[in-house]
Amino acid sequence: MHQIAVANLVLALGATLILLGILSSLLASRFGTPLLLVFLVVGMLAGVDGPGGIEFSNYRLTYLIGSCALAIILFDGGLRMRLAETRDALAPSLVLATAGVAVTAVLIGAFGYLALGYDVIEGLLLGSIVASTDAAAVFFLLKTGGLQLRPRIGSTLEIESGSNDPVAVFLTMVLTELAVAHSAPGFGTLTALARQALLGGAMGVAGGALATVALNRLTLPGGLHPLFVIALTVSVFGITSYFDGSGFLAVYVAGLVVGNSTVRAYPAISKFLESATWLCQIVMFLMLGLLVTPSKLIQYAPEGLAIALFLMIIGRPAAVWICLKPFGFTPPEINFVSWVGLRGAVSIFLATVPTLAGARHAPMYFNVAFFVVLISLLIQGWSIAPAARFFGMALKRAAASARRVEIDLPGQIDNEMVGYPVRHDSYAALRPASLPAWLKPVIVVRDGAIKNAAEAGQIKAGDYAYFISPQDRVNRLDRLFAPLSAETVAAAKRTAFGEFAVAPDASLSDLATFYEMQVPASLAGLTVAEAFSARYGTRLRAGNRLTLTTYAELMARLVEDGRLVKASLRLEDVVDLSMRSPSLPPPRLMRRLYDRLRQRLSKEGKPAEPVK
């Protein structure tokens, strides 16, 4: 009976710590505190040197639970990455997530060898442990600060911080083996890294494809789709790791495959994984906080502080400059990316590996890594917002958000139902006629009454509207239902066109960020007027169009003396490929034929009609 009572007490204490972590996140949101730091502090207070007095030193259990949690977190990161929307930042981000991690590890290793007296393997191993950045910490702080970064910078940070963990794990595992065997890196190290990468990538593709096929073909009971995905994720991680591949790379790639495919029950899977990822982070951070002993941490403070400062001032900036300069990033962009390299739970988690492997000086790795993470969160974490403004990376408009409800449609994998509250200060309320043509209204809740689309007519402020939307376009709708600034609301009320009016001097980068789209690389950095001038030159006429994406195009509304005076942005498909008849010509050919017809009519004195 005593053992049962102890087990119940352990459950109660564990649940209480999680509740404290969840409640403390409210304070973190209010004061802009790095969330990881809050969870770590809660764990430390509950630990052996804190008021809680809990003695916890089980590195094996920490590694087991941490591996499972990190696998789910990485899968979720891959699931939410849309390759089509981040293709312009994909190459520099991947270089930064691979070569950047390796360069950072080498620089820290050299510093440890020359300045702190570590041997080569110890320095490289410590560098590998603290080389990766933490996506959750970075984007939580940006969100709480109400910041929205410029498109290329935001995408670069998102991809890099979400994909550099597998590389850090590669290096840490291989270097730990070398540290235990007291051998030097050689050709065998490179082949081991290549084998882990290839096997991890292959298993990830296979696991993602299997998950996609199973979700679309198996008729699972309601609510089991998310559990199936999580179980498959952990299974892919375990099998890949068993065969000496990179399990962390495998689950990340599997998430990419599933997230960029059309799968049944995606809304339910996405929502469940969002909650599961939060739980994994809380549990992981609390355990790592329990594991550290503050009284022992102090003795490693001098070398931990030296490594942390070197990493922030020299190591990370040098790696970022080497990786991003060839891609044309400006010095302010590079400096900002350098400063936003926050260290997180992965670094502390990887610091448990040398202890489990029985490496020499194992406590040094854990305590120094823990100290580096604390310094990074304290100094860099609280300065992200000022740094974004200082380097000019923050857009003037704060990040807008819309409350979206997603409902899976049984038997339908290409479309889903989405619901939004229609705010009075959103484009949807101000310009209801400008909603995309592919968005099909279904139900409107107005003044407590449920109306179908025909009864409700155009949506109004105060409605709660439900639509059928193609699954791959849902994310585009948030901007239409999100709150706008007072200046934008006033401008929207003044416009009379069916599409959104834009100023000729508006930046295409700002438009791309606002409507969550990627403009062609040849137009990046130009204003609307400059883009039209580059495309048409002296041939610019009212009615000329400039295609940005498959669902967005600019139109010249008024041209005087060859100068663009008014323009508008139309947010709907130029040609909806999913609705196109196979017998019709290709979209670009249809566009050219249509443009020629408009030109002929114009020559004959028949003005082209404006788009409604």
Side-chain angles (χ1 to χ4, degrees), residues 138-190:
V138 171
F139 288 96
F140 174 82
L141 292 172
L142 291 173
K143 183 177 180 181
T144 56
L147 289 176
Q148 186 166 2
L149 299 179
R150 298 193 176 276
R152 184 166 68 159
I153 296 301
S155 297
T156 299
L157 286 171
E158 181 179 0
I159 300 173
E160 183 229 355
S161 57
S163 57
N164 59 11
D165 293 336
V167 180
V169 174
F170 285 172
L171 297 176
T172 299
M173 296 298 182
V174 172
L175 289 168
T176 298
E177 293 179 4
L178 295 177
V180 173
H182 303 291
S183 58
F187 182 74
T189 304
L190 296 178

Coordinates of all heavy atoms in Angstrom, one line a residue, residues 138-190:
V138 N 12.2 31.5 -30.0 CA 12.2 32.7 -30.9 C 10.9 33.2 -31.3 O 10.5 34.4 -31.1 CB 13.0 32.3 -32.2 CG1 12.9 33.4 -33.2 CG2 14.5 32.0 -31.9
F139 N 10.0 32.3 -31.7 CA 8.7 32.7 -32.2 C 7.7 33.0 -31.1 O 6.8 33.8 -31.3 CB 8.1 31.7 -33.2 CG 8.9 31.8 -34.5 CD1 9.9 30.9 -34.8 CD2 8.6 32.8 -35.5 CE1 10.6 31.0 -36.0 CE2 9.4 32.8 -36.6 CZ 10.4 31.9 -36.9
F140 N 7.9 32.5 -29.9 CA 7.0 32.9 -28.8 C 7.3 34.3 -28.5 O 6.4 35.1 -28.2 CB 7.3 32.0 -27.6 CG 6.6 32.4 -26.4 CD1 5.2 32.1 -26.2 CD2 7.2 33.2 -25.4 CE1 4.6 32.5 -25.0 CE2 6.6 33.6 -24.3 CZ 5.2 33.3 -24.1
L141 N 8.6 34.7 -28.4 CA 9.0 36.1 -28.1 C 8.5 37.1 -29.1 O 8.1 38.2 -28.8 CB 10.5 36.1 -27.8 CG 11.0 35.4 -26.6 CD1 12.5 35.4 -26.6 CD2 10.4 36.0 -25.3
L142 N 8.6 36.7 -30.4 CA 8.2 37.6 -31.5 C 6.7 37.8 -31.4 O 6.2 38.9 -31.6 CB 8.6 37.0 -32.8 CG 10.0 37.0 -33.2 CD1 10.3 36.2 -34.5 CD2 10.6 38.4 -33.3
K143 N 6.0 36.7 -31.1 CA 4.5 36.8 -31.0 C 4.1 37.7 -29.8 O 3.2 38.5 -29.9 CB 3.9 35.4 -30.9 CG 2.4 35.4 -30.9 CD 1.8 34.0 -30.8 CE 0.3 34.0 -30.8 NZ -0.2 32.6 -30.7
T144 N 4.7 37.4 -28.6 CA 4.3 38.2 -27.5 C 4.7 39.7 -27.6 O 4.1 40.6 -27.0 CB 4.9 37.7 -26.2 OG1 6.4 37.6 -26.4 CG2 4.4 36.3 -25.9
G145 N 5.7 40.0 -28.4 CA 6.1 41.3 -28.7 C 5.3 42.0 -29.8 O 5.5 43.2 -30.1
G146 N 4.3 41.3 -30.4 CA 3.5 41.8 -31.4 C 4.3 42.2 -32.7 O 3.9 43.0 -33.4
L147 N 5.4 41.4 -32.9 CA 6.3 41.8 -34.0 C 5.9 40.9 -35.2 O 5.6 39.7 -35.1 CB 7.7 41.6 -33.7 CG 8.3 42.6 -32.7 CD1 9.7 42.1 -32.3 CD2 8.3 44.0 -33.3
Q148 N 6.1 41.5 -36.4 CA 6.0 40.7 -37.6 C 7.3 41.1 -38.4 O 7.5 42.2 -38.7 CB 4.8 41.0 -38.4 CG 4.6 40.2 -39.6 CD 3.3 40.3 -40.2 OE1 2.4 41.0 -39.7 NE2 3.0 39.5 -41.3
L149 N 8.1 40.0 -38.8 CA 9.3 40.2 -39.4 C 9.1 40.3 -40.9 O 8.1 39.9 -41.5 CB 10.3 39.1 -39.1 CG 10.7 38.9 -37.7 CD1 11.6 37.7 -37.5 CD2 11.3 40.2 -37.1
R150 N 10.1 40.9 -41.6 CA 10.1 40.9 -43.1 C 10.1 39.5 -43.6 O 10.7 38.6 -43.0 CB 11.3 41.7 -43.6 CG 11.3 43.1 -43.2 CD 12.3 44.0 -43.9 NE 12.1 45.4 -43.6 CZ 11.2 46.2 -44.0 NH1 10.4 45.8 -45.0 NH2 11.2 47.5 -43.7
P151 N 9.4 39.2 -44.7 CA 9.1 37.9 -45.2 C 10.4 37.0 -45.2 O 10.3 35.8 -44.7 CB 8.5 38.1 -46.5 CG 8.0 39.4 -46.5 CD 8.8 40.2 -45.6
R152 N 11.4 37.4 -45.9 CA 12.6 36.5 -46.1 C 13.3 36.2 -44.7 O 13.7 35.1 -44.5 CB 13.6 37.1 -47.0 CG 14.8 36.2 -47.3 CD 15.6 36.6 -48.5 NE 16.3 37.9 -48.3 CZ 17.4 38.2 -49.0 NH1 17.8 37.5 -50.0 NH2 18.0 39.4 -48.8
I153 N 13.3 37.2 -43.9 CA 14.0 37.0 -42.6 C 13.1 36.1 -41.7 O 13.6 35.1 -41.1 CB 14.2 38.4 -41.8 CG1 15.1 39.2 -42.6 CG2 14.7 38.1 -40.4 CD1 16.5 38.6 -42.8
G154 N 11.8 36.3 -41.7 CA 10.9 35.4 -40.9 C 11.0 34.0 -41.3 O 11.1 33.0 -40.5
S155 N 10.9 33.8 -42.7 CA 11.0 32.4 -43.2 C 12.3 31.8 -42.9 O 12.4 30.6 -42.6 CB 10.7 32.4 -44.7 OG 9.4 32.9 -45.0
T156 N 13.4 32.5 -43.1 CA 14.8 32.0 -42.8 C 14.9 31.5 -41.4 O 15.4 30.4 -41.1 CB 15.8 33.1 -43.1 OG1 15.7 33.4 -44.5 CG2 17.2 32.5 -42.9
L157 N 14.5 32.3 -40.4 CA 14.6 31.9 -39.0 C 13.7 30.7 -38.7 O 14.1 29.8 -38.0 CB 14.2 33.1 -38.1 CG 15.2 34.3 -38.0 CD1 14.6 35.4 -37.3 CD2 16.5 33.8 -37.3
E158 N 12.5 30.7 -39.3 CA 11.6 29.6 -39.1 C 12.1 28.3 -39.6 O 12.2 27.3 -38.8 CB 10.2 29.9 -39.7 CG 9.2 28.8 -39.5 CD 7.9 29.1 -40.2 OE1 7.8 30.2 -40.8 OE2 7.0 28.3 -40.1
I159 N 12.6 28.3 -40.8 CA 13.2 27.0 -41.4 C 14.4 26.6 -40.6 O 14.6 25.4 -40.3 CB 13.4 27.2 -42.9 CG1 12.1 27.5 -43.6 CG2 14.0 25.9 -43.4 CD1 12.3 27.9 -45.0
E160 N 15.3 27.6 -40.4 CA 16.6 27.2 -39.8 C 16.4 26.7 -38.4 O 16.9 25.6 -38.0 CB 17.5 28.5 -39.7 CG 18.9 28.2 -39.1 CD 19.3 29.1 -38.0 OE1 18.5 30.1 -37.7 OE2 20.3 28.9 -37.3
S161 N 15.6 27.4 -37.5 CA 15.5 26.9 -36.1 C 14.6 25.6 -36.1 O 14.8 24.9 -35.1 CB 14.8 28.0 -35.3 OG 13.6 28.4 -35.9
G162 N 13.8 25.4 -37.1 CA 13.1 24.1 -37.1 C 13.8 22.9 -37.7 O 13.4 21.8 -37.5
S163 N 14.9 23.2 -38.4 CA 15.6 22.1 -39.1 C 17.0 21.9 -38.7 O 17.7 21.0 -39.2 CB 15.5 22.3 -40.6 OG 16.1 23.5 -40.9
N164 N 17.6 22.7 -37.7 CA 19.0 22.5 -37.4 C 19.2 21.5 -36.2 O 20.3 21.1 -36.0 CB 19.6 23.8 -37.1 CG 19.0 24.6 -35.9 OD1 18.2 24.0 -35.2 ND2 19.3 25.8 -35.7
D165 N 18.1 21.1 -35.6 CA 18.3 20.1 -34.5 C 18.9 18.8 -35.0 O 19.8 18.2 -34.3 CB 17.0 19.9 -33.8 CG 16.5 21.1 -33.0 OD1 17.4 22.0 -32.7 OD2 15.3 21.3 -32.8
P166 N 18.4 18.2 -36.1 CA 19.0 16.9 -36.5 C 20.5 17.0 -36.7 O 21.2 16.0 -36.4 CB 18.2 16.6 -37.8 CG 16.9 17.3 -37.7 CD 17.2 18.6 -36.9
V167 N 21.0 18.1 -37.3 CA 22.4 18.2 -37.5 C 23.2 18.2 -36.2 O 24.2 17.6 -36.0 CB 22.7 19.4 -38.4 CG1 24.2 19.6 -38.6 CG2 22.0 19.4 -39.7
A168 N 22.7 19.0 -35.2 CA 23.3 19.0 -33.9 C 23.3 17.6 -33.3 O 24.3 17.2 -32.6 CB 22.6 20.0 -33.0
V169 N 22.2 16.9 -33.4 CA 22.1 15.5 -32.9 C 23.2 14.6 -33.6 O 23.8 13.8 -32.9 CB 20.7 15.0 -33.0 CG1 20.7 13.5 -32.6 CG2 19.7 15.8 -32.2
F170 N 23.3 14.7 -34.9 CA 24.3 14.0 -35.6 C 25.7 14.1 -35.0 O 26.3 13.2 -34.6 CB 24.5 14.5 -37.1 CG 23.4 14.2 -38.0 CD1 23.4 14.7 -39.3 CD2 22.4 13.3 -37.7 CE1 22.4 14.4 -40.2 CE2 21.4 13.0 -38.6 CZ 21.4 13.5 -39.8
L171 N 26.1 15.4 -34.9 CA 27.4 15.7 -34.4 C 27.6 15.3 -33.0 O 28.7 14.7 -32.6 CB 27.7 17.2 -34.6 CG 27.7 17.7 -36.0 CD1 27.8 19.3 -36.0 CD2 28.8 17.1 -36.9
T172 N 26.6 15.5 -32.2 CA 26.7 15.1 -30.7 C 26.9 13.6 -30.6 O 27.7 13.2 -29.8 CB 25.5 15.6 -30.0 OG1 25.4 17.1 -30.1 CG2 25.6 15.3 -28.5
M173 N 26.1 12.8 -31.3 CA 26.2 11.4 -31.1 C 27.5 10.9 -31.6 O 28.2 10.1 -30.9 CB 25.1 10.7 -31.9 CG 23.7 11.0 -31.4 SD 23.4 10.5 -29.7 CE 21.7 10.9 -29.5
V174 N 28.0 11.3 -32.8 CA 29.3 10.9 -33.3 C 30.4 11.3 -32.4 O 31.3 10.5 -32.1 CB 29.4 11.4 -34.7 CG1 30.8 11.0 -35.3 CG2 28.4 10.8 -35.6
L175 N 30.4 12.5 -32.0 CA 31.5 13.0 -31.2 C 31.5 12.4 -29.8 O 32.6 12.2 -29.2 CB 31.5 14.6 -31.1 CG 31.8 15.3 -32.4 CD1 31.5 16.8 -32.3 CD2 33.3 15.1 -32.7
T176 N 30.3 12.1 -29.3 CA 30.3 11.4 -28.0 C 30.9 10.0 -28.1 O 31.7 9.6 -27.2 CB 28.8 11.2 -27.5 OG1 28.2 12.5 -27.3 CG2 28.8 10.4 -26.2
E177 N 30.7 9.3 -29.2 CA 31.3 8.0 -29.4 C 32.9 8.2 -29.5 O 33.6 7.4 -28.9 CB 30.8 7.4 -30.7 CG 29.4 6.9 -30.6 CD 28.9 6.3 -32.0 OE1 29.8 6.2 -32.9 OE2 27.7 6.0 -32.1
L178 N 33.3 9.2 -30.1 CA 34.7 9.5 -30.2 C 35.3 9.8 -28.8 O 36.4 9.4 -28.5 CB 35.0 10.6 -31.2 CG 34.7 10.3 -32.7 CD1 34.9 11.6 -33.5 CD2 35.5 9.1 -33.2
A179 N 34.6 10.6 -28.0 CA 35.0 11.0 -26.7 C 35.1 9.7 -25.8 O 36.1 9.6 -25.0 CB 34.1 12.0 -26.1
V180 N 34.2 8.8 -25.9 CA 34.2 7.6 -25.1 C 35.4 6.7 -25.5 O 36.1 6.1 -24.7 CB 32.9 6.9 -25.2 CG1 33.0 5.5 -24.5 CG2 31.8 7.7 -24.5
A181 N 35.6 6.6 -26.9 CA 36.6 5.7 -27.4 C 38.0 6.4 -27.4 O 39.0 5.8 -27.7 CB 36.3 5.4 -28.8
H182 N 38.1 7.7 -27.1 CA 39.3 8.5 -27.0 C 40.0 8.4 -28.4 O 41.3 8.2 -28.5 CB 40.3 7.9 -25.9 CG 39.7 8.0 -24.6 ND1 39.4 9.1 -23.9 CD2 39.2 7.0 -23.8 CE1 38.8 8.9 -22.7 NE2 38.7 7.5 -22.6
S183 N 39.3 8.6 -29.5 CA 39.9 8.5 -30.8 C 39.6 9.9 -31.5 O 38.7 10.7 -31.1 CB 39.3 7.4 -31.6 OG 37.8 7.5 -31.7
A184 N 40.3 10.1 -32.6 CA 40.2 11.4 -33.3 C 39.3 11.2 -34.5 O 39.1 10.1 -35.0 CB 41.6 11.8 -33.8
P185 N 38.6 12.3 -34.9 CA 37.7 12.2 -36.0 C 38.5 12.0 -37.3 O 39.6 12.4 -37.5 CB 37.0 13.6 -36.0 CG 37.9 14.5 -35.3 CD 38.6 13.6 -34.3
G186 N 37.9 11.2 -38.2 CA 38.6 10.9 -39.5 C 37.5 10.6 -40.5 O 36.4 11.0 -40.5
F187 N 37.9 9.8 -41.5 CA 37.0 9.5 -42.6 C 35.8 8.7 -42.1 O 34.7 8.9 -42.7 CB 37.8 8.7 -43.7 CG 36.9 8.3 -44.9 CD1 36.6 9.3 -45.8 CD2 36.5 7.0 -45.0 CE1 35.8 9.0 -46.9 CE2 35.7 6.7 -46.1 CZ 35.4 7.7 -47.1
G188 N 36.0 7.9 -41.1 CA 34.9 7.1 -40.6 C 33.8 8.0 -40.0 O 32.7 7.6 -40.0
T189 N 34.2 9.1 -39.4 CA 33.3 10.1 -38.9 C 32.4 10.6 -40.0 O 31.1 10.7 -39.8 CB 34.0 11.2 -38.2 OG1 34.9 10.7 -37.2 CG2 33.0 12.2 -37.5
L190 N 33.0 11.0 -41.1 CA 32.2 11.5 -42.2 C 31.2 10.4 -42.8 O 30.1 10.7 -43.1 CB 33.1 12.0 -43.3 CG 34.0 13.2 -43.0 CD1 34.9 13.5 -44.2 CD2 33.2 14.4 -42.6

